[in-house]
């Protein structure tokens, strides 16, 4: 009997999309299933957006290996797939003489993980402040990681997904996997809409739900604890407060809070680390937001918190074993895990994708796809273009001359393009993540009605059906009798 | 004006007005009447009139036209003048760039990129609402949270209903107006919570929009949690102490599908900052002299981009003054333009938060200058006084002063002759 697909990937976060992209280069039929209305709608959308250099994870762990590999690969991927990535470097701050040894330990760990002496350097407090004048006087020394970078996690995930789609991967949204069973040909995947799909291989990239998916087929149980991280995002005017990503040495102040510029020029502070029992609990709390402020101020005493434009929280998938769970499941051949992907998961994604795709292609005896598309061009960002480039684009498509989001200078052309791509935006959040409409200082106050209208037009749905994200998040109330 | 296909060639404009809302319209009309040629209004929205288009309630124009008009009616009075006076305007056009030499880059669907060099520029971009994010309200981030103005636009311009059971945070005027508007549309407005011990809105709006509809206003209360992952399902409100911190045990949760925010307006000065103009940290707008000129010669500001007003009538009045000043500037030669400012900063004390203008030139000033300001708290039975050095120039007794209402004093040229910075000029609230 033939299966419906060669591979079903469960989860459309950055990991699932990276696996999809790498699998799409092989001659395989691949389907990606996502419970949200769009890709990048779980952990991938709410994190620190850092491409870690790789000095943090313990040598020998999967976290260490895939972080270093992924981070190296990210640079070329940013060129091939056209997403925002910036090598801004990082500093890990040490605030007490007693903890100097821990800085050296991090340095050694980095070298053991494969980083070079060129990439890492220990600075005195003075040298660190010379690099970053906003740093606290209390800093006694710091580890500088030159290869640390920042990335747009939304663009990264969209770029991977679009390239996968261009190579034939199909996507199915608003579908929750309710069961996975072994069968003769591979696996049977049951969905919440009662449909049943057959696949030779399954990839579990279900984020905070990757334990439940894994446990459907394996006797070696996984246990994911959602670990909430709260963040504060500041206006672009505050974006120049620091240029490096500023970490704190874990220790005296608990697991530290970072302060970093984003690739789009905002300033970000966070996260907290609060274990919760509820996998849907992405609500911020006043106490957590206060904690972010307090801890960030340890690194940068004059944090511009008056310029906060939004706060958010995300859930990291912390697995009880403490490491990533990556590879073919021992007692379920053909079932591949990418589970427990917490930090440095974003950095590691390109390497995880390549590794798992390689394993699957090998097992399936697949050949590389002829004429595979290896590059993807991003949606033009009018805000970043020169006047000449803008004029040319408007001449080609006048919709690029119509500003819709005035804070981020996002045009109608960009928004329509975001919806028209595959996989395209289906919601306000999908538009926001792809082109930043509503991401600026007014937080969608002015552009909401217009973006809703464009979504309604492009999707052919009434305004009352336009959602912030999943069904149930409609922005308008249907009037009685209509 | 001809369309240019190349962004290289800059067109010349006498007075460029950025913003076609109430401030921009009044400024343009006044500039034309003062003799300015080559005017151009640039508006980013689809029509002239700005925020007035969505203010379909009445109460506008009592000062200007001595009658009660709706927002669109008030706007149309100025729009018809703009048309009668043949003042050109561009719609759906964004100003992308403005420098201190008044070089302007415009962008639109119709004209692509267009470069303009203006003799004088009037900044009239208005303001925006403080969003949920800037308030750091904890909880989920579902659909159903709107700033009052966004909800007003969706209801009054687009014709949609945004919610059935509503809680409003903040008692700014738009929030109060929307409490009434949503009630009239069949929604149930459960309560209005205000963080401060006083309302930020006009007294008349509290009476006409809340009291008349039995909508409770809870002063010294704020939102401490938002429930519902997809759409708002509830909002928890708590009382706050003197330091505005929520008091544990006072929480009450309201079942609702909508949270409206009316928590302050922020002047939109992105373009102003591009020019390097000196800003006021109190108003969030540029710091200006008595001609409403910013610290950048030839760049003027008026309306809510300069400081947030309570009544549109005062916006029109202020904008007319800016229009006249800009027309004069555009018509003058380099030599006639002031080289070094002789202006004296106006000091404030006793609860006066700021003044607009922030400085005044006793020589160049017209016979009378209106100085507007807001106060920091609610004051009863106080006197607003103006001092030149130790000498009191004027004093006016007031029954109640409130942060929601704009106040003004008139400065007379005859009383300020020979004024120096050393001597000083102060606007104060005193017993």
């Amino acid at each position: 009997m033939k299966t419906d697909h060669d591979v079903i990937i469960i989860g459309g976060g950055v990991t699932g999309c990276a696996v999809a992209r790498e699998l799409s280069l092989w001659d395989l039929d691949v389907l990606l299933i996502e419970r949200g209305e769009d890709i990048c709608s779980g952990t991938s959308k709410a994190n620190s957006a850092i491409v870690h250099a790789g000095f943090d994870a313990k040598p020998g762990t999967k976290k260490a290996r895939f972080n270093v590999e992924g981070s190296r690969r990210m640079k070329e991927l940013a060129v091939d797939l056209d997403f925002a990535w910036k090598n801004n470097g990082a500093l890990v701050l040490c605030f007490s003489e007693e903890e100097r040894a821990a800085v050296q330990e991090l340095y050694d760990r980095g070298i053991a993980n494969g980083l070079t002496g060129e990439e890492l350097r220990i600075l005195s407090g003075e040298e660190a402040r010379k690099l970053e004048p906003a740093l606290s006087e209390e800093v006694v020394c710091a580890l500088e990681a030159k290869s640390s970078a920042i990335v747009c996690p939304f663009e990264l995930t969209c770029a991977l997904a679009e390239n996968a789609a261009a190579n034939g991967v199909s996507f199915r949204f608003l579908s929750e996997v309710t069961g996975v069973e072994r069968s003769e040909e591979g696996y049977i995947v049951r969905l919440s809409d009662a449909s049943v799909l057959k696949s030779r291989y399954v990839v579990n990239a279900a984020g905070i739900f990757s334990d439940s998916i894994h446990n459907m087929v394996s006797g070696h149980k996984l246990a994911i604890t959602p670990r909430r991280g709260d963040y504060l995002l500041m206006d672009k005017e505050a974006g120049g407060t620091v240029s490096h990503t500023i970490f704190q040495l874990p220790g005296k102040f608990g697991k530290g809070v970072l302060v970093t510029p984003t690739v789009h020029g905002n300033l970000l502070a966070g996260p907290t680390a609060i274990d919760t029992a509820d996998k849907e609990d992405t609500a911020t709390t006043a106490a957590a937001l206060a904690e972010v402020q307090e801890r960030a101020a340890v690194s940068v005493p004059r944090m511009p918190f008056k310029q906060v434009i939004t706060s958010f929280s995300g859930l990291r998938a912390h697995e009880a074993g403490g490491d990533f769970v990556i590879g073919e499941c021992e007692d379920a051949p053909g079932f591949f895990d990418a589970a427990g992907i917490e930090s440095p998961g974003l950095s590691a994604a390109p390497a995880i994708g390549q590794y798992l795709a390689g394993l699957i292609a090998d097992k399936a005896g697949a050949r590389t796809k002829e004429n595979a598309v290896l590059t993807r061009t991003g949606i033009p960002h009018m805000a970043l273009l020169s006047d000449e480039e803008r004029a040319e684009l408007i001449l080609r498509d006048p919709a690029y001359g119509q500003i819709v989001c005035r804070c981020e200078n996002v045009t109608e052309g960009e928004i329509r393009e975001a919806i028209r791509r595959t996989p395209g935006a289906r919601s306000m959040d999908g538009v926001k993540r792809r082109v930043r409409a509503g991401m600026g200082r007014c937080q969608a106050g002015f552009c909401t009605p217009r973006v809703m209208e464009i979504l309604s037009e492009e999707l052919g749905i009434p305004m009352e059906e336009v959602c912030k994200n999943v069904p149930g998040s409609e922005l308008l109330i249907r009037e009685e009798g209509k | 004006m001809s369309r240019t296909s190349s962004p290289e060639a800059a067109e010349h404009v006498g007075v460029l007005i950025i913003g076609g809302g109430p401030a921009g319209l009044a400024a343009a009309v006044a500039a034309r009447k003062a003799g300015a040629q080559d005017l151009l209004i640039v508006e980013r929205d689809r029509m002239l009139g700005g925020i007035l288009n969505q203010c379909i309630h009445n109460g506008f124009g009592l000062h200007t036209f001595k009658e009660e008009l709706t927002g669109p009616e008030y706007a149309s009075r100025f729009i018809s003048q703009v048309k009668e006076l043949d003042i050109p305007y561009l719609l759906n056009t964004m100003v992308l760039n403005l420098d201190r030499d008044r070089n302007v880059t415009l962008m639109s669907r119709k004209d692509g990129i267009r470069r303009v060099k203006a003799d004088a520029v009037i900044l009239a971009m208005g303001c925006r609402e403080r969003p949920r994010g800037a308030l750091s309200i904890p909880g989920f981030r579902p659909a159903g949270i709107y700033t009052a103005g966004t909800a007003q636009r969706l209801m009054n311009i687009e014709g949609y209903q945004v919610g059935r059971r509503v809680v409003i945070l903040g008692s700014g005027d738009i929030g109060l107006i929307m409490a009434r508007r949503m009630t009239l549309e069949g929604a149930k407005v459960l309560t209005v919570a205000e963080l401060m011990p006083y309302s930020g809105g006009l007294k008349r709006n509290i009476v006409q929009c809340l009291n008349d509809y039995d909508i409770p206003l809870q002063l010294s209360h704020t939102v401490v949690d938002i429930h519902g992952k997809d759409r708002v399902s509830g909002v928890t409100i708590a009382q706050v102490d003197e330091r505005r911190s929520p008091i544990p045990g006072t929480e009450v949760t309201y079942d609702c599908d909508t949270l409206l925010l009316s928590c302050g307006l922020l002047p939109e000065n992105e373009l102003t900052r591009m020019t390097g103009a000196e800003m006021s940290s109190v108003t969030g707008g540029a710091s200006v002299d008595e001609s409403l000129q910013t610290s950048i010669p030839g760049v003027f500001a008026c309306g809510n981009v300069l400081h947030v007003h309570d009544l549109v009538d005062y916006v029109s009045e202020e904008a007319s003054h800016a229009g006249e000043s800009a027309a004069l500037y555009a018509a003058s030669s380099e030599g006639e333009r002031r080289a070094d400012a002789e202006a004296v900063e106006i000091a404030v004390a006793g609860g006066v938060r700021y003044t607009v203008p922030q400085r005044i030139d006793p020589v160049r000033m017209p016979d009378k200058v209106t100085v507007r300001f807001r106060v920091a708290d609610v004051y009863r039975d106080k006197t607003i006084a103006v001092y030149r050095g130790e000498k009191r120039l004027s004093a006016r007794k007031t029954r109640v002063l409130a942060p929601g209402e704009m106040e003004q004093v008139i400065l007379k040229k005859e009383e300020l002759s020979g004024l120096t910075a050393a001597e000083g000029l102060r606007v104060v609230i005193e017993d």
Side-chain angles (χ1 to χ4, degrees), chain B residues 75-349:
Chain B
S76 75
R77 300 266 170 122
F78 283 92
I79 294 170
S80 33
Q81 286 191 66
V82 163
K83 290 182 175 161
E84 277 160 29
L85 294 168
D86 238 353
I87 301 171
Y89 58 90
L90 297 171
L91 300 178
N92 292 309
T93 303
M94 186 81 179
V95 176
L96 293 183
N97 201 51
L98 168 68
D99 71 15
R100 58 183 303 124
D101 298 318
R102 302 178 302 280
N103 293 302
V104 189
T105 312
L106 309 178
M107 184 169 87
S108 71
R109 177 193 295 267
K110 203 163 117 270
D111 295 340
I113 300 289
R114 223 165 129 165
R115 292 220 174 105
V116 168
K117 165 88 184 177
D119 292 334
V121 169
I122 301 175
L123 304 170
M125 293 87 76
C127 58
R128 63 169 172 269
E129 300 174 279
R130 182 172 280 122
R132 183 250 175 118
L135 300 162
S136 285
I137 305 171
F140 282 107
R141 296 163 296 286
I145 305 170
Y146 289 101
T147 53
T150 305
Q152 189 179 44
R153 178 172 181 124
L154 280 165
M155 289 185 79
N156 294 349
I157 300 210
E158 329 275 343
Y160 298 105
Q161 184 67 282
V162 300
R164 290 199 184 92
R165 290 176 63 83
V166 186
V167 166
I168 299 179
L169 174 62
S171 57
D173 287 310
I174 316 173
L176 300 175
I177 296 284
M178 282 305 288
R180 175 175 65 187
R181 178 81 181 108
M182 292 197 74
T183 305
L184 293 174
E185 285 290 323
K188 175 77 186 160
V189 178
L190 302 166
T191 188
V192 176
E194 168 59 58
L195 179 69
M196 304 304 286
Y198 49 79
S199 163
L202 291 169
K203 178 89 182 128
R204 73 170 196 215
N205 283 336
I206 293 172
V207 174
Q208 294 171 9
C209 301
L210 298 187
N211 300 356
D212 288 359
Y213 297 88
D214 295 325
I215 299 167
L217 170 63
Q218 302 187 72
L219 298 174
S220 297
H221 278 71
T222 194
V223 172
V224 293
D225 206 356
I226 296 171
H227 311 276
K229 195 171 164 78
D230 301 331
R231 172 89 198 190
V232 173
S233 64
V235 162
T236 302
I237 285 174
Q239 199 183 328
V240 299
D241 60 22
E242 321 69 69
R243 291 171 323 163
R244 301 183 214 163
S245 300
I247 303 170
T250 63
E251 297 88 355
V252 176
T253 298
Y254 292 83
D255 285 335
C256 60
D257 55 28
T258 304
L259 172 63
L260 288 194
L261 304 171
S262 183
C263 302
L265 299 170
L266 309 165
E268 288 217 280
N269 277 290
E270 284 72 12
L271 294 172
T272 318
R273 284 192 202 91
M274 284 184 189
T275 67
E278 190 187 303
M279 304 296 291
S280 156
S281 59
V282 185
T283 59
S287 163
V288 293
D289 66 17
E290 75 290 337
S291 71
L292 301 179
Q293 182 172 239
T294 67
S295 63
I296 306 298
V299 178
F300 301 80
C302 56
N304 281 353
V305 79
L306 183 56
H307 60 135
V308 174
H309 292 62
D310 55 350
L311 297 182
V312 71
D313 302 77
Y314 298 141
V315 168
S316 305
E317 197 182 302
E318 181 179 276
S320 301
H321 183 39
E324 287 157 12
S325 304
L328 197 66
Y329 184 93
S332 62
S333 65
E334 284 299 327
E336 292 165 327
R337 291 172 188 171
R338 174 164 59 196
D340 287 301
E342 297 293 327
V344 174
E345 296 288 330
I346 303 173
V348 295

Side-chain angles (χ1 to χ4, degrees), chain A residues 237 280 282 284 309 387-388 401-402 406 412 441 445 450 453 463 468 473-475 477-478 480, chain B residues 8 44 46 108-109 115 128 133 138-139 141 143 146 150 160-161 164 229 231 268 270 273:
Chain A
E237 267 180 41
E280 308 282 350
T282 52
T284 58
I309 59 170
D387 283 348
E388 287 68 25
Q402 179 66 53
R406 51 168 93 158
E412 186 185 320
R441 50 180 66 119
R450 187 73 190 112
E453 207 172 85
M463 285 282 277
K468 182 169 186 290
S473 68
E474 286 80 6
L475 284 103
I477 300 290
R478 202 179 282 273
E480 320 279 326
Chain B
E8 297 306 318
R44 56 190 162 192
R46 298 167 180 178
S108 71
R109 177 193 295 267
R115 292 220 174 105
R128 63 169 172 269
R141 296 163 296 286
Y146 289 101
T150 305
Y160 298 105
Q161 184 67 282
R164 290 199 184 92
K229 195 171 164 78
R231 172 89 198 190
E268 288 217 280
E270 284 72 12
R273 284 192 202 91

Side-chain angles (χ1 to χ4, degrees), chain B residues 378-390:
Chain B
V378 175
Y379 302 100
R380 290 176 199 283
D381 302 316
K382 296 277 188 178
T383 297
I384 298 170
V386 179
Y387 284 86
R388 173 182 180 170
E390 292 311 307

Side-chain angles (χ1 to χ4, degrees), chain A residues 25-342:
Chain A
L25 307 179
W26 298 88
D27 199 9
L28 291 167
D29 180 296
V30 182
L31 170 72
L32 185 148
I33 296 173
E34 163 59 42
R35 71 195 278 266
E37 90 293 357
D38 195 0
I39 48 168
C40 200
S41 52
T43 304
S44 304
K45 78 166 180 200
N47 54 70
S48 309
I50 308 294
V51 183
H52 295 275
F55 53 79
D56 193 42
K58 283 202 191 79
T61 59
K62 291 201 166 71
K63 281 184 178 174
R65 171 188 166 183
F66 288 103
N67 180 354
V68 172
E69 269 180 43
S71 156
R72 295 242 159 93
R73 215 170 127 58
M74 197 71 84
K75 188 178 176 177
E76 47 179 300
L77 210 55
V79 176
D80 289 349
L81 301 184
D82 195 15
F83 56 84
W85 171 91
K86 189 180 174 192
N87 176 206
N88 66 322
L91 296 175
V92 187
L93 308 184
C94 169
F95 297 95
S96 71
E97 292 298 334
E98 308 88 77
E99 289 181 313
R100 266 182 192 276
V103 175
Q104 183 62 45
E105 198 179 308
L106 271 190
Y107 177 94
D108 295 342
R109 210 187 266 187
I111 299 295
N113 286 347
L115 299 184
T116 66
E118 303 275 285
E119 291 170 90
L120 295 174
R121 183 162 70 127
I122 294 177
L123 305 177
S124 68
E126 208 165 295
E127 287 169 326
R129 276 185 293 275
K130 209 166 169 187
L131 269 184
E132 289 289 356
L135 293 186
S136 159
E137 288 297 322
E138 308 291 316
V139 175
V140 298
C141 67
L143 176 70
E144 184 191 9
K146 289 184 184 161
S147 53
S148 184
I150 46 182
V151 70
C152 173
F154 319 125
E155 273 188 68
L156 165 61
T157 309
C158 288
L160 291 164
E162 285 176 22
N163 188 228
N167 287 315
V169 172
S170 37
F171 290 79
R172 185 160 175 161
F173 293 104
L174 297 171
S175 296
E176 203 166 336
V177 171
T178 53
V180 183
E181 296 148 36
R182 280 193 70 180
S183 70
E184 220 151 277
E185 301 82 23
Y187 288 89
I188 293 171
V189 177
R190 295 181 192 282
L191 302 182
S192 46
D193 63 2
S195 50
V196 177
L197 299 170
K198 291 177 191 154
S199 179
R200 289 167 71 196
Y201 309 106
V202 168
V203 176
N204 169 25
I208 47 170
F209 299 95
S210 55
D211 53 349
S212 339
I213 301 291
H214 169 96
N215 296 345
M216 289 173 184
V217 299
S218 172
H220 307 286
K221 301 299 179 194
L222 295 182
I224 303 274
T225 304
R227 183 165 286 175
R228 203 184 80 226
D230 301 64
Y231 292 88
L232 289 165
L233 184 75
M234 279 140 278
D235 193 282
K236 285 182 172 174
E237 267 180 41
T241 305
V242 290
S243 65
H244 291 70
T245 299
I246 310 296
F247 296 100
Q248 296 165 351
L249 202 57
K252 201 171 172 183
F253 298 94
K255 194 176 190 303
V257 154
L258 65 84
V259 176
T260 186
T262 69
V263 270
H264 297 288
N266 295 86
L267 186 71
L268 182 68
T272 52
I274 300 160
D275 287 349
T276 116
D278 182 357
K279 291 187 173 181
E280 308 282 350
D281 183 17
T282 52
T284 58
T285 64
L289 296 177
E291 187 189 324
V292 171
Q293 294 211 4
E294 199 183 304
R295 288 190 172 192
V298 171
S299 301
V300 180
R302 281 186 297 277
M303 279 293 289
F305 286 120
K306 277 198 165 163
Q307 306 216 51
V308 166
I309 59 170
T310 192
S311 48
F312 61 90
S313 76
L315 300 174
R316 290 95 116 186
H318 177 71
E319 211 282 314
D323 200 4
F324 293 161
V325 180
I326 293 172
E328 190 169 5
C329 189
E330 266 177 53
D331 56 347
F335 182 95
F336 294 83
D337 278 310
I341 309 296
E342 58 184 332

